[in-house]
Amino acid sequence: MWRKITGYYITNYFYITFPLVSLYKFACLSISIYDIGMAFSCNNHFSIILIIGFILSSELKPVLAQNSPVFACDITSNPALGNLTFCDASLTVENRVNDLVKRLTLGEKIGFLVSGASGVSRLGIPKYEWWSEALHGVAYTGPGVHFSSLVPGATSFPQVILTAASFNVSLFQTIGKVVSTEARAMYNVGLAGLTYWSPNVNIFRDPRWGRGQETPGEDPTLTSTYGVAYVKGLQQTDDGSTNKLKVAACCKHYTAYDVDNWKGIERYSFNAVVTQQDLDDTFQPPFKSCVLEGDVASVMCSYNQVNGKPTCGDPNLLAGIIRGEWKLNGYIVTDCDSLQVIFKSQNYTKTPEEAAALGLNSGVDLNCGSWLSTYTQGAVNQKLVNESVIDRAISNNFATLMRLGFFDGNPKNRIYGNLGPKDVCTLENQELAREAARQGIVLLKNTAGSLPLTPTVIKSLAVIGPNANVTKTMIGNYEGIPCKYTTPLQGLTASVATIYKPGCADVSCNTAQIDDAKQIASTADAVVLVMGSDQSIEKESLDRTNITLPGQQSVLVAEVAKVAKGPVILVIMSGGGMDVQFAVDNPKITSILWVGFPGEAGGAALADVIFGYYNPSGRLPMTWYPQSYADVVPMTNMNMRPNPATNYPGRTYRFYTGPTVFTFGHGLSYSQFKHHLDKAPQFVSLPLGEKHTCRLSKCKTVDAVGQSCSNMGFDIHLRVKNVGKISGSHTIFLFTSPPSVHNAPKKHLLGFEKVHLTPQGEGVVKFNVDVCKHLSVHDELGNRKVALGPHVLHIGDLKHSLTVRI
């Protein structure tokens, strides 16, 4: 059993009993087993525990798809269940939930507070695993999903950071729809659940964050837009029902979570000190949008503390804001074993029972892990939590399952009941993965005469680099088993003859194989260098300290460029940005492409761009900083705004005052586009009452509430023309630079649109601007204020002055 289980994952195929081990996170079981050693995808300090637990454990049991999956309220198999009110799908969710809760004992209720929910056989309710992941495809990183010979893989789309670079809202939602279809198909054959803890809508605040790859980037508007679209794609049903769910999405990790493990500072004990202003204008908007606009079914609280309070134990953040202000229609779940972290890592409570009670009383409904199943009974006995609180929690959980149809019996006779293995990894889905990668790839530099390459002219192409022929690297983290892979080398070789040398043994590139690389580069008509990182450099529980190309990669690139006789194309495969200023400045390096982690079809998409089959249109969703930024700015400083007194430069394009390698929104095309402003006002007047204080004294801002905000909007029309010779898509950004009040952002994204134009083709892009929503800023207390005075609108490459007055 120890031999040659190579390349498979225990979370896919095997359940391991660890009698002596209590894990922080079940995801740490994502292990590749080889003849002798083990490679772990979790913290190193778990590795020894896992090895001991594995050796001492005698059980390694295969988990296979059930031949006949068991469904709750399956009246066909058990007619007696028809007498149970909660099994009556014609009743309201509220009535069904109330009936079910009343039938349960306290012990049974407690069993439904955890992700591995207990079943109740006397009521025909099977066990249910809540934890499944679908960040960019159905993934095996949660125990709720298993691949088998029946469904050996699922479509693996680009990692989120690259999809976000497409700035294509319809693409965001379409991917979500495909992922939910594949998830439903796997659920019908007993291989997956219905609750998926995706998307990650944290802000990519610092370039070193290992999980930045999972996010839509650094901007709250883009992140909010992506989150809403992806949630809708996952959740919305095709029958028009507003209360049913196709699958249940979850926006995570709430809130101000973006430090994993930086110089020994871990997420489990990190206290994010955040101003109210930064919280409300940077960290909270994506979650607020998820709930209010996306109607997401769940929000996950994070490991870290915010201003001294654990997020999963903060009644203001959970019950007060998510449930109270935003009116979440769903459940609040902890990150895995966060309640254990509160007690053991943060020492925030004196007893385990206090930690359990703190979470429940703060608004937690579901615990990823087993903490609540172990300590809730004791918390009740000690009168730390009332049974009514438990009823509230499981009612929210049951209501979500009711909306999913979990209690509607066998799904075969209901919507999506016809889905099965035939609907996973379809040709259409695989082509969408390729299209998503194409749309996200960003052309960062392009010297005249470099890209696109002409296949009929290129007789030999040197392909060099540690990421040139990789497979799993392309799908990033929170991954599944893809339908198939197309590596960069395979994609390029499909069009031209190639010569390949890796140049480095791996991405760490401790010793570059420079001579071999130079030899093939010196005789080739063109060179493609595929460099960058992988999960050994940046991932969950691993933040970077350096943001340059790892090891001797930059030396390899520079030496190859010296001897190359034709175009040199540098391709960077990474989650975060890299300081590649040396390549920007080197005229021998004629083009630079960023491909993120491009998914299963990444190699084909890269070739499409390089050979001009596809005109690149991606734009960077994050700032690329120089290494000097990482050298002097502590990752743990959560302040977004600069502080000249301490030489703190601030963060993200909205506030950062220092030099950049590439700016947010940067991206080139093989075409050129011209903009002409057709319509935009020069003045906007806010209606204020005669006795309003701002009529009696001079004001710099007005509260963005009440009568002054009624029907206060205007339209902007921008004419766009493709003046190039190639058809292409083009993203138009609408930014604003508000007056300098309340430490407002120097620039802020209001919206974006993507158009596709043929050569010499024209189109009109329209933006509707809501004055109080789009032209307001947050003051130091987090209140929204409309800034009076001159605003500068950045529309495409144009600027327009607009004055807001009373």
Side-chain angles (χ1 to χ4, degrees):
M1 197 58 82
W2 280 83
R3 299 186 60 79
K4 289 299 178 188
I5 314 176
T6 308
Y8 292 96
Y9 291 79
I10 288 173
T11 47
N12 297 2
Y13 289 96
F14 299 96
Y15 170 79
I16 302 180
T17 301
F18 289 97
L20 302 181
V21 183
S22 174
L23 296 177
Y24 273 86
K25 193 167 184 180
F26 194 87
C28 283
L29 295 184
S30 180
I31 307 167
S32 298
I33 301 181
Y34 298 89
D35 283 2
I36 305 296
M38 292 185 178
F40 293 89
S41 67
C42 52
N43 293 348
N44 291 334
H45 61 271
F46 289 131
S47 300
I48 296 174
I49 298 174
L50 281 168
I51 293 171
I52 294 171
F54 187 83
I55 294 172
L56 294 181
S57 173
S58 61
E59 295 183 282
L60 183 57
K61 302 177 181 179
V63 171
L64 304 175
Q66 302 172 19
N67 292 327
S68 299
V70 178
F71 299 105
C73 296
D74 192 351
I75 298 171
T76 303
S77 300
N78 185 357
L81 298 176
N83 298 321
L84 300 175
T85 300
F86 70 84
C87 288
D88 187 347
S90 68
L91 298 177
T92 66
V93 168
E94 183 179 5
N95 287 340
R96 297 175 73 189
V97 169
N98 290 340
D99 177 73
L100 176 53
V101 172
K102 290 175 182 177
R103 294 177 185 272
L104 300 176
T105 65
L106 177 59
E108 289 169 340
K109 292 176 182 179
I110 290 172
F112 288 107
L113 291 173
V114 292
S115 52
S118 302
V120 180
S121 57
R122 66 183 178 85
L123 298 177
I125 303 174
K127 294 180 179 179
Y128 179 71
E129 177 55 62
W130 286 79
W131 181 9
S132 295
E133 301 282 356
L135 183 68
H136 53 107
V138 179
Y140 51 54
T141 46
V145 170
H146 305 277
F147 291 100
S148 73
S149 58
L150 190 61
V151 181
T155 309
S156 186
F157 292 94
Q159 184 59 290
V160 175
I161 193 70
L162 187 71
T163 297
S166 73
F167 284 88
N168 186 340
V169 181
S170 62
L171 178 66
F172 304 160
Q173 186 162 343
T174 300
I175 291 174
K177 187 172 183 178
V178 168
V179 172
S180 61
T181 295
E182 295 197 346
R184 269 283 177 176
M186 293 179 68
Y187 170 75
N188 289 346
V189 293
L191 289 172
L194 294 171
T195 46
Y196 290 84
W197 294 346
S198 307
N200 181 339
V201 294
N202 292 122
I203 296 297
F204 197 172
R205 174 187 60 91
D206 189 287
R208 292 162 286 191
W209 188 31
R211 301 189 74 175
Q213 59 182 288
E214 303 172 27
T215 77
E218 71 181 31
D219 179 73
T221 297
L222 172 60
T223 302
S224 297
T225 303
Y226 177 90
V228 170
Y230 193 66
V231 165
K232 287 181 175 180
L234 289 176
Q235 293 193 165
Q236 286 183 346
T237 60
D238 295 313
D239 62 359
S241 172
T242 57
N243 196 41
K244 292 181 181 178
L245 298 167
K246 188 178 180 185
V247 301
C250 173
C251 289
K252 63 184 185 184
H253 311 80
Y254 180 84
T255 184
Y257 166 71
D258 52 21
V259 173
D260 264 64
N261 187 351
W262 179 73
K263 295 186 176 181
I265 298 171
E266 291 191 315
R267 56 186 175 170
Y268 306 115
S269 56
F270 177 61
N271 176 28
V273 179
V274 185
T275 68
Q276 191 63 48
Q277 187 176 31
D278 285 344
L279 192 66
D280 286 332
D281 82 351
T282 298
F283 299 108
Q284 293 289 71
F287 294 99
K288 185 176 183 179
S289 295
C290 272
V291 177
L292 294 181
E293 299 175 45
D295 194 24
V296 73
S298 178
V299 174
M300 176 184 284
C301 52
S302 54
Y303 289 118
N304 58 292
Q305 294 184 352
V306 173
N307 298 328
K309 293 182 179 180
T311 64
C312 292
D314 188 332
N316 177 57
L317 285 176
L318 304 186
I321 296 176
I322 298 177
R323 186 75 63 189
E325 291 183 22
W326 300 344
K327 309 297 182 187
L328 173 71
N329 180 18
Y331 68 100
I332 297 173
V333 61
T334 70
D335 204 340
C336 294
D337 282 330
S338 286
L339 299 180
Q340 176 178 320
V341 166
I342 289 173
F343 173 67
K344 290 190 173 181
S345 298
Q346 299 177 4
N347 300 312
Y348 193 80
T349 63
K350 294 180 180 179
T351 68
E353 291 80 9
E354 288 179 357
L358 177 65
L360 286 167
N361 290 329
S362 296
V364 166
D365 300 309
L366 188 74
N367 163 215
C368 176
S370 59
W371 196 260
L372 288 183
S373 63
T374 304
Y375 297 108
T376 299
Q377 182 67 62
V380 172
N381 295 344
Q382 296 173 36
K383 301 187 184 309
L384 297 173
V385 65
N386 294 324
E387 187 171 352
S388 61
V389 174
I390 297 170
D391 289 349
R392 177 223 74 211
I394 62 173
S395 292
N396 289 328
N397 300 340
F398 287 147
T400 304
L401 292 177
M402 295 283 183
R403 296 172 65 199
L404 286 161
F406 179 82
F407 288 101
D408 293 349
N410 194 317
K412 66 181 180 181
N413 296 322
R414 299 185 179 276
I415 187 172
Y416 306 120
N418 63 329
L419 297 176
K422 70 182 188 321
D423 300 294
V424 183
C425 282
T426 65
L427 292 178
E428 293 83 0
N429 294 355
Q430 293 181 58
E431 180 57 29
L432 181 64
R434 181 173 180 170
E435 175 64 18
R438 283 192 293 237
Q439 289 197 28
I441 290 174
V442 183
L443 179 61
L444 297 171
K445 173 185 176 181
N446 199 29
T447 305
S450 183
L451 289 180
L453 301 180
T454 304
T456 55
V457 173
I458 302 297
K459 304 303 180 184
S460 63
L461 179 68
V463 182
I464 299 167
N467 279 337
N469 199 31
V470 292
T471 53
K472 195 169 183 297
T473 297
M474 296 195 300
I475 60 176
N477 68 351
Y478 281 82
E479 74 282 12
I481 298 177
C483 310
K484 64 178 183 180
Y485 287 107
T486 303
T487 72
L489 179 61
Q490 290 170 335
L492 296 167
T493 303
S495 288
V496 298
T498 57
I499 317 165
Y500 164 64
K501 292 290 182 180
C504 305
D506 51 40
V507 292
S508 62
C509 201
N510 294 320
T511 303
Q513 299 154 11
I514 294 175
D515 291 341
D516 289 345
K518 289 172 67 174
Q519 182 177 1
I520 66 169
S522 63
T523 59
D525 294 327
V527 178
V528 174
L529 292 138
V530 191
M531 316 303 285
S533 69
D534 62 14
Q535 302 304 301
S536 70
I537 303 294
E538 50 177 341
K539 66 175 180 180
E540 184 173 11
S541 297
L542 180 61
D543 300 321
R544 293 186 289 169
T545 53
N546 293 310
I547 54 176
T548 55
L549 290 174
Q552 294 189 358
Q553 285 192 34
S554 59
V555 176
L556 175 65
V557 171
E559 289 298 311
V560 165
K562 285 180 183 178
V563 300
K565 66 177 186 178
V568 176
I569 295 96
L570 172 61
V571 178
I572 301 167
M573 188 181 294
S574 67
M578 298 280 187
D579 181 352
V580 289
Q581 192 64 51
F582 80 95
V584 176
D585 296 336
N586 187 339
K588 289 281 288 180
I589 300 171
T590 54
S591 300
I592 304 175
L593 288 162
W594 175 68
V595 298
F597 293 128
E600 66 176 44
L606 173 62
D608 290 340
V609 170
I610 284 179
F611 293 118
Y613 308 138
Y614 189 89
N615 190 353
S617 61
R619 302 290 194 95
L620 287 180
M622 73 293 203
T623 302
W624 284 32
Y625 298 85
Q627 176 62 34
S628 58
Y629 179 90
D631 291 337
V632 300
V633 177
M635 190 173 174
T636 50
N637 188 329
M638 299 293 292
N639 291 322
M640 299 300 299
R641 289 158 166 81
N643 184 347
T646 60
N647 294 320
Y648 180 70
R651 296 183 179 278
T652 76
Y653 81 93
R654 296 167 65 223
F655 302 104
Y656 177 58
T657 56
T660 62
V661 179
F662 294 111
T663 59
F664 174 90
H666 177 72
L668 306 175
S669 168
Y670 297 152
S671 297
Q672 299 80 43
F673 298 88
K674 285 191 175 180
H675 303 149
H676 181 271
L677 189 60
D678 281 348
K679 180 181 180 181
Q682 291 183 315
F683 300 95
V684 174
S685 298
L686 294 177
L688 299 181
E690 292 183 5
K691 296 183 179 180
H692 192 284
T693 182
C694 290
R695 289 199 178 276
L696 304 176
S697 60
K698 187 175 180 62
C699 292
K700 292 184 177 181
T701 60
V702 175
D703 290 338
V705 294
Q707 182 180 354
S708 58
C709 287
S710 299
N711 301 315
M712 287 305 299
F714 59 88
D715 292 330
I716 293 175
H717 295 177
L718 181 75
R719 191 157 19 103
V720 185
K721 183 175 183 178
N722 181 353
V723 296
K725 298 179 180 180
I726 304 174
S727 295
S729 295
H730 179 58
T731 298
I732 297 95
F733 296 112
L734 174 61
F735 293 96
T736 179
S737 292
S740 299
V741 293
H742 299 303
N743 287 317
K746 61 177 187 174
K747 192 177 179 182
H748 180 62
L749 182 65
L750 304 186
F752 53 89
E753 293 288 342
K754 193 159 192 172
V755 295
H756 185 84
L757 297 173
T758 57
Q760 305 306 309
E762 286 189 349
V764 175
V765 175
K766 300 178 181 180
F767 293 98
N768 180 259
V769 178
D770 181 313
V771 172
C772 288
K773 178 181 179 181
H774 295 120
L775 300 186
S776 61
V777 298
H778 286 85
D779 69 11
E780 289 74 7
L781 299 178
N783 301 309
R784 291 193 79 101
K785 305 279 188 176
V786 177
L788 301 176
H791 295 245
V792 177
L793 299 179
H794 307 257
I795 314 154
D797 58 5
L798 306 177
K799 292 183 180 181
H800 175 75
S801 294
L802 167 73
T803 300
V804 178
R805 61 191 182 185
I806 57 175

